[in-house]
Amino acid sequence: MSSIILTDIRKSFYQGNKKTEVLCGASMEFQKGLWYTVYGASGSGKTTLLNITGGIDKPDSGKVLDGNLAGNEDIYKKSDFQLSGWRNNKIGFVFQFFHLLSELSVEKNILLPLELKRRELNEGWYARIVEILDIGDLLKRCPATLSGGEMQRTALARAVINRPDFILADEATGNLDSDNSRNVVNLLNDLKVNAGVGIIYVTHESNIYDEYDEKILLENGKLIKILGE
Ligand SMILES: Nc1ncnc2c1ncn2[C@@H]1O[C@H](COP(=O)(O)OP(=O)(O)OP(=O)(O)O)[C@@H](O)[C@H]1O
Ligand SMILES: [Mg+2]
């Protein structure tokens, strides 16, 4: 069983001399095939947590371990090249602010992860994503012309195109109406159930979808499992 294990993660940011401690001893094990909803107030460190978990941002201390049959490996001990390979293979990011490439069409943005890995496109899967997310009419457009919700659905399609082990979704339904939000949640759940993908879904809303297996609160820089709900 593959997992990502955070052990005693600490991370601070400095603005001039002013230090903000964002994560102060966050620990958690995220397993493939389960859905983790992490909720916390705006500014509590959710995006920071996802960046650290997904190999984008190194913590000040503590470890991010890739747990698999061969043992646990500290991802930040890898070279930059190895770490970006790990990320491309294992992680699908849905960024809070999308990070779509403006010079590429919607379709090229979605297919980019496959190109990076020189993987074949699974046409059936692609068609299904396009249908569920209702983005068929957008494929030839460029990202700058899309609405926020359309960008969000495009970003989600890109994150799931190569069925990564984990999807790290940062406010993935924040810009969507209730029908589209439901579609996104269903798509993520489908990936969990049928492809064994692990979902780490962060949100500032305490009123959350009940598709999760674990509900976690991010507060005062720590992760706290909410039991018995
Ligand atoms: N690069 C940075 N430099 C300085 N401060 C930062 C940086 N990144 C984040 N912070 C600060 O760290 C804190 C946590 O930020 P983060 O983006 O992780 O919060 P968040 O929970 O994702 O918030 P939101 O719900 O508004 O997206 C905030 O106070 C933010 O201002
Ligand atoms: Mg955020």
Side-chain angles (χ1 to χ4, degrees):
M1 182 51 94
S2 156
S3 60
I4 300 176
I5 304 157
L6 309 181
T7 61
D8 203 18
I9 300 291
R10 290 168 191 275
K11 181 81 180 178
S12 299
F13 292 108
Y14 288 87
Q15 297 260 256
N17 285 332
K18 190 173 165 278
K19 181 179 179 185
T20 311
E21 283 192 304
V22 179
L23 299 174
C24 14
S27 299
M28 190 57 58
E29 174 164 357
F30 298 112
Q31 291 183 358
K32 258 194 82 178
L34 293 179
W35 179 312
Y36 301 84
T37 291
V38 179
Y39 71 102
S42 179
S44 60
K46 301 180 297 296
T47 298
T48 306
L49 176 82
L50 285 191
N51 287 342
I52 289 174
T53 305
I56 288 181
D57 197 9
K58 199 173 178 211
D60 299 334
S61 67
K63 286 181 181 155
V64 179
L65 304 173
D66 174 7
N68 53 53
L69 289 177
N72 292 341
E73 196 186 358
D74 185 341
I75 65 166
Y76 289 105
K77 293 237 163 86
K78 293 175 189 287
S79 67
D80 287 352
F81 180 74
Q82 287 172 325
L83 183 56
S84 65
W86 177 85
R87 213 165 37 226
N88 287 338
N89 268 320
K90 297 244 172 177
I91 308 288
F93 270 101
V94 186
F95 292 102
Q96 185 170 13
F97 302 109
F98 319 125
H99 298 312
L100 299 172
L101 298 182
S102 57
E103 63 276 23
L104 299 181
S105 68
V106 163
E107 180 164 55
K108 292 219 160 103
N109 266 282
I110 295 171
L111 300 181
L112 195 63
L114 296 172
E115 221 155 274
L116 291 174
K117 287 163 64 182
R118 299 198 185 81
R119 281 244 187 114
E120 289 278 313
L121 171 63
N122 178 333
E123 299 274 359
W125 176 234
Y126 181 47
R128 203 156 139 240
I129 297 168
V130 167
E131 190 192 331
I132 294 175
L133 294 172
D134 191 18
I135 51 176
D137 291 341
L138 308 179
L139 295 173
K140 301 294 171 219
R141 307 238 318 247
C142 63
T145 68
L146 304 180
S147 74
E150 289 167 345
M151 287 186 203
Q152 187 147 47
R153 285 180 280 145
T154 302
L156 192 83
R158 181 182 59 182
V160 302
I161 190 73
N162 59 12
R163 302 187 198 222
D165 285 355
F166 286 91
I167 291 174
L168 275 46
D170 200 346
E171 306 282 1
T173 57
N175 293 276
L176 303 181
D177 58 37
S178 61
D179 280 355
N180 275 310
S181 294
R182 200 3 86 197
N183 290 342
V184 164
V185 170
N186 289 347
L187 177 67
L188 292 175
N189 202 48
D190 183 291
L191 278 164
K192 184 198 95 166
V193 173
N194 295 315
V197 174
I199 312 286
I200 309 176
Y201 179 98
V202 311
T203 178
H204 61 267
E205 290 175 52
S206 55
N207 196 0
I208 57 181
Y209 291 95
D210 17 281
E211 265 72 8
Y212 61 85
D213 298 293
E214 302 270 4
K215 185 174 171 185
I216 297 162
L217 174 65
L218 174 54
E219 195 173 60
N220 300 325
K222 291 194 167 58
L223 292 166
I224 307 147
K225 272 190 194 179
I226 309 294
L227 300 172
E229 285 191 47

Short mmCIF file of all heavy atoms in Angstrom, two decimals, residues 16-42:
data_model
loop_
_atom_site.label_atom_id
_atom_site.label_comp_id
_atom_site.label_asym_id
_atom_site.label_seq_id
_atom_site.Cartn_x
_atom_site.Cartn_y
_atom_site.Cartn_z
N GLY A 16 10.15 40.46 5.96
CA GLY A 16 11.12 41.25 6.69
C GLY A 16 11.54 40.47 7.92
O GLY A 16 11.93 39.31 7.82
N ASN A 17 11.40 41.12 9.09
CA ASN A 17 11.78 40.42 10.33
C ASN A 17 10.63 39.64 10.95
O ASN A 17 10.82 38.92 11.91
CB ASN A 17 12.26 41.44 11.38
CG ASN A 17 13.64 41.93 11.03
OD1 ASN A 17 14.41 41.21 10.38
ND2 ASN A 17 13.95 43.16 11.42
N LYS A 18 9.46 39.85 10.40
CA LYS A 18 8.28 39.25 11.02
C LYS A 18 8.15 37.79 10.58
O LYS A 18 8.09 37.47 9.39
CB LYS A 18 7.03 40.02 10.62
CG LYS A 18 5.81 39.60 11.41
CD LYS A 18 4.61 40.51 11.13
CE LYS A 18 3.34 39.88 11.63
NZ LYS A 18 2.76 38.91 10.72
N LYS A 19 8.12 36.91 11.59
CA LYS A 19 8.06 35.48 11.31
C LYS A 19 6.62 34.98 11.50
O LYS A 19 6.00 35.28 12.51
CB LYS A 19 8.98 34.75 12.29
CG LYS A 19 9.05 33.26 12.10
CD LYS A 19 10.03 32.66 13.11
CE LYS A 19 10.10 31.16 12.97
NZ LYS A 19 10.93 30.54 14.00
N THR A 20 6.10 34.29 10.51
CA THR A 20 4.80 33.63 10.67
C THR A 20 5.03 32.13 10.69
O THR A 20 5.53 31.56 9.72
CB THR A 20 3.86 33.94 9.46
OG1 THR A 20 3.88 35.34 9.23
CG2 THR A 20 2.44 33.47 9.72
N GLU A 21 4.70 31.52 11.82
CA GLU A 21 4.80 30.06 11.89
C GLU A 21 3.51 29.47 11.33
O GLU A 21 2.45 29.66 11.92
CB GLU A 21 4.96 29.62 13.34
CG GLU A 21 6.35 29.83 13.87
CD GLU A 21 6.54 29.10 15.19
OE1 GLU A 21 5.75 29.37 16.12
OE2 GLU A 21 7.46 28.29 15.28
N VAL A 22 3.60 28.81 10.22
CA VAL A 22 2.39 28.30 9.58
C VAL A 22 2.12 26.85 10.02
O VAL A 22 1.03 26.52 10.46
CB VAL A 22 2.50 28.39 8.05
CG1 VAL A 22 1.25 27.85 7.38
CG2 VAL A 22 2.71 29.85 7.64
N LEU A 23 3.10 26.01 9.89
CA LEU A 23 2.94 24.63 10.34
C LEU A 23 3.91 24.41 11.50
O LEU A 23 5.09 24.74 11.40
CB LEU A 23 3.23 23.65 9.20
CG LEU A 23 2.29 23.79 7.99
CD1 LEU A 23 2.72 22.89 6.85
CD2 LEU A 23 0.84 23.50 8.38
N CYS A 24 3.40 23.89 12.61
CA CYS A 24 4.28 23.67 13.75
C CYS A 24 4.03 22.29 14.34
O CYS A 24 3.32 22.16 15.32
CB CYS A 24 4.16 24.75 14.80
SG CYS A 24 2.77 25.84 14.67
N GLY A 25 4.56 21.30 13.66
CA GLY A 25 4.44 19.93 14.14
C GLY A 25 3.25 19.21 13.55
O GLY A 25 2.50 18.53 14.25
N ALA A 26 3.05 19.38 12.22
CA ALA A 26 1.94 18.69 11.55
C ALA A 26 2.39 17.28 11.18
O ALA A 26 3.43 17.09 10.55
CB ALA A 26 1.52 19.46 10.31
N SER A 27 1.60 16.28 11.58
CA SER A 27 1.89 14.89 11.25
C SER A 27 0.63 14.21 10.75
O SER A 27 -0.45 14.47 11.26
CB SER A 27 2.39 14.12 12.49
OG SER A 27 3.57 14.69 12.98
N MET A 28 0.78 13.35 9.74
CA MET A 28 -0.38 12.61 9.22
C MET A 28 0.11 11.55 8.24
O MET A 28 1.15 11.72 7.61
CB MET A 28 -1.32 13.59 8.48
CG MET A 28 -2.68 13.08 8.07
SD MET A 28 -3.73 12.44 9.40
CE MET A 28 -3.87 13.85 10.50
N GLU A 29 -0.65 10.46 8.15
CA GLU A 29 -0.37 9.50 7.08
C GLU A 29 -1.53 9.52 6.10
O GLU A 29 -2.69 9.35 6.50
CB GLU A 29 -0.20 8.09 7.66
CG GLU A 29 -0.06 7.07 6.54
CD GLU A 29 0.50 5.73 6.99
OE1 GLU A 29 0.85 5.58 8.19
OE2 GLU A 29 0.59 4.83 6.14
N PHE A 30 -1.23 9.76 4.85
CA PHE A 30 -2.25 9.74 3.79
C PHE A 30 -2.05 8.47 2.98
O PHE A 30 -0.98 8.25 2.40
CB PHE A 30 -2.09 10.95 2.87
CG PHE A 30 -2.26 12.28 3.57
CD1 PHE A 30 -1.18 13.14 3.74
CD2 PHE A 30 -3.50 12.67 4.06
CE1 PHE A 30 -1.33 14.37 4.36
CE2 PHE A 30 -3.67 13.90 4.69
CZ PHE A 30 -2.58 14.75 4.84
N GLN A 31 -3.08 7.63 2.93
CA GLN A 31 -2.95 6.37 2.18
C GLN A 31 -3.67 6.46 0.84
O GLN A 31 -4.70 7.13 0.72
CB GLN A 31 -3.58 5.23 2.98
CG GLN A 31 -2.78 4.91 4.21
CD GLN A 31 -3.34 3.73 4.97
OE1 GLN A 31 -4.36 3.17 4.60
NE2 GLN A 31 -2.67 3.37 6.02
N LYS A 32 -3.12 5.73 -0.11
CA LYS A 32 -3.81 5.60 -1.39
C LYS A 32 -5.18 4.98 -1.18
O LYS A 32 -5.38 4.16 -0.29
CB LYS A 32 -3.02 4.66 -2.30
CG LYS A 32 -2.20 5.35 -3.34
CD LYS A 32 -1.72 4.37 -4.38
CE LYS A 32 -2.82 4.10 -5.42
NZ LYS A 32 -2.36 3.17 -6.48
N GLY A 33 -6.14 5.38 -1.99
CA GLY A 33 -7.45 4.75 -1.93
C GLY A 33 -8.37 5.32 -0.87
O GLY A 33 -9.48 4.83 -0.68
N LEU A 34 -7.91 6.37 -0.18
CA LEU A 34 -8.78 7.02 0.81
C LEU A 34 -8.90 8.51 0.49
O LEU A 34 -8.02 9.10 -0.15
CB LEU A 34 -8.22 6.84 2.22
CG LEU A 34 -8.20 5.41 2.78
CD1 LEU A 34 -7.59 5.41 4.18
CD2 LEU A 34 -9.60 4.80 2.82
N TRP A 35 -9.99 9.08 0.96
CA TRP A 35 -10.26 10.51 0.76
C TRP A 35 -10.08 11.22 2.09
O TRP A 35 -10.74 10.89 3.07
CB TRP A 35 -11.70 10.68 0.24
CG TRP A 35 -12.13 12.10 0.01
CD1 TRP A 35 -11.99 13.16 0.86
CD2 TRP A 35 -12.82 12.60 -1.14
NE1 TRP A 35 -12.52 14.30 0.30
CE2 TRP A 35 -13.05 13.98 -0.92
CE3 TRP A 35 -13.27 12.02 -2.34
CZ2 TRP A 35 -13.71 14.79 -1.85
CZ3 TRP A 35 -13.93 12.84 -3.26
CH2 TRP A 35 -14.14 14.19 -3.02
N TYR A 36 -9.19 12.22 2.09
CA TYR A 36 -8.94 13.02 3.29
C TYR A 36 -9.44 14.44 3.01
O TYR A 36 -8.98 15.08 2.06
CB TYR A 36 -7.44 13.07 3.59
CG TYR A 36 -6.85 11.70 3.83
CD1 TYR A 36 -6.45 10.90 2.75
CD2 TYR A 36 -6.74 11.19 5.12
CE1 TYR A 36 -5.95 9.63 2.96
CE2 TYR A 36 -6.23 9.91 5.33
CZ TYR A 36 -5.85 9.14 4.25
OH TYR A 36 -5.36 7.88 4.45
N THR A 37 -10.36 14.90 3.80
CA THR A 37 -10.77 16.29 3.70
C THR A 37 -10.12 17.05 4.85
O THR A 37 -10.31 16.72 6.02
CB THR A 37 -12.30 16.43 3.78
OG1 THR A 37 -12.87 15.89 2.58
CG2 THR A 37 -12.70 17.90 3.88
N VAL A 38 -9.31 18.04 4.48
CA VAL A 38 -8.64 18.87 5.48
C VAL A 38 -9.30 20.23 5.46
O VAL A 38 -9.34 20.87 4.41
CB VAL A 38 -7.14 19.03 5.15
CG1 VAL A 38 -6.45 19.91 6.19
CG2 VAL A 38 -6.45 17.67 5.05
N TYR A 39 -9.86 20.64 6.57
CA TYR A 39 -10.44 21.98 6.57
C TYR A 39 -9.77 22.86 7.60
O TYR A 39 -9.25 22.40 8.61
CB TYR A 39 -11.96 21.94 6.71
CG TYR A 39 -12.49 21.55 8.07
CD1 TYR A 39 -12.97 22.52 8.95
CD2 TYR A 39 -12.54 20.23 8.47
CE1 TYR A 39 -13.48 22.17 10.19
CE2 TYR A 39 -13.03 19.87 9.71
CZ TYR A 39 -13.51 20.85 10.56
OH TYR A 39 -13.99 20.49 11.78
N GLY A 40 -9.73 24.12 7.27
CA GLY A 40 -9.07 25.08 8.15
C GLY A 40 -9.39 26.47 7.64
O GLY A 40 -9.68 26.66 6.46
N ALA A 41 -9.30 27.45 8.53
CA ALA A 41 -9.63 28.83 8.18
C ALA A 41 -8.69 29.35 7.10
O ALA A 41 -7.62 28.78 6.87
CB ALA A 41 -9.51 29.70 9.43
N SER A 42 -9.10 30.42 6.44
CA SER A 42 -8.22 31.09 5.50
C SER A 42 -6.95 31.51 6.23
O SER A 42 -7.02 32.05 7.33
CB SER A 42 -8.95 32.31 4.93
OG SER A 42 -8.11 32.98 4.04
#
